[in-house]
Amino acid sequence: MNTRCSLLVSLLAIALSGCGPKDATPAAAKAAAPAPAAAAPAPAAPRVIEITANDTMKFNLTTIEAKAGETIKIVFTNNGTLPKEAMGHNLVVLKPGSDGGAFCAAAMAAKATDYIPESLKSQVVATTALLGPKKSEEIILKDLKAGEYPYVCSFPAHFAVGMKGVLIVK
Ligand SMILES: [Cu+2]
């Protein structure tokens, strides 16, 4: 019964579509047309760069390269196990020409603001929050200009043991 019904429906559909195949074709073409347009922004999706840190106080990547005009997404993950108060990590991207060491020295007294010193805040291009173990956060750097951007973890003493890197944009 059901089979016969659906067969009838199918036949009806064929009969109906047979009435105006010429109308149907441009309509389908129109419907399909926006698809490539919608897909066009896809290449602009930011390149994702994964950076990790752990209890050894090192970034897995100490050099990142990007092209001028590029937008990148940095996904930063603290894979460590020690508590945030003892071994928190952040990833702070500074403007070209900034002194990462001076920034981190000032950061030591900035516990209240997650080790982002108010006095040097203007040097920050982007930063994650201070992350505890197994936490992850992303930052997006849009339309990068050429230059060398130092990045650091500003948790006390982490810069001194080498928790730093550079984003080179050319
Ligand atoms: Cu750190």
Side-chain angles (χ1 to χ4, degrees), residues 57-133:
M57 293 173 281
K58 296 271 185 276
F59 288 125
N60 66 322
L61 291 177
T62 53
T63 306
I64 307 169
E65 293 193 358
K67 292 190 192 81
E70 193 178 359
T71 293
I72 61 172
K73 176 156 87 176
I74 297 176
V75 180
F76 177 55
T77 305
N78 177 359
N79 284 329
T81 56
L82 294 170
K84 181 175 162 180
E85 292 68 30
M87 188 59 74
H89 298 297
N90 59 13
L91 192 156
V92 189
V93 181
L94 300 172
K95 288 179 182 167
S98 303
D99 181 339
F103 184 91
C104 291
M108 285 196 195
K111 186 173 193 292
T113 50
D114 276 355
Y115 304 108
I116 303 298
E118 198 65 38
S119 59
L120 296 177
K121 216 176 163 181
S122 61
Q123 293 184 353
V124 176
V125 176
T127 181
T128 66
L130 187 68
L131 303 180

Side-chain angles (χ1 to χ4, degrees), residues 10-28:
S10 302
L11 286 172
L12 199 62
I14 290 164
L16 283 172
S17 66
C19 291
K22 283 191 177 176
D23 288 343
T25 310

Side-chain angles (χ1 to χ4, degrees), residues 88-90 153 155 158 163:
H89 298 297
N90 59 13
C153 170
F155 192 92
H158 288 195
M163 210 168 168

Side-chain angles (χ1 to χ4, degrees), residues 149-170:
Y149 299 71
Y151 60 89
V152 301
C153 170
S154 67
F155 192 92
H158 288 195
F159 179 88
V161 296
M163 210 168 168
K164 59 187 169 182
V166 62
L167 163 64
I168 300 166
V169 182
K170 13 183 189 190

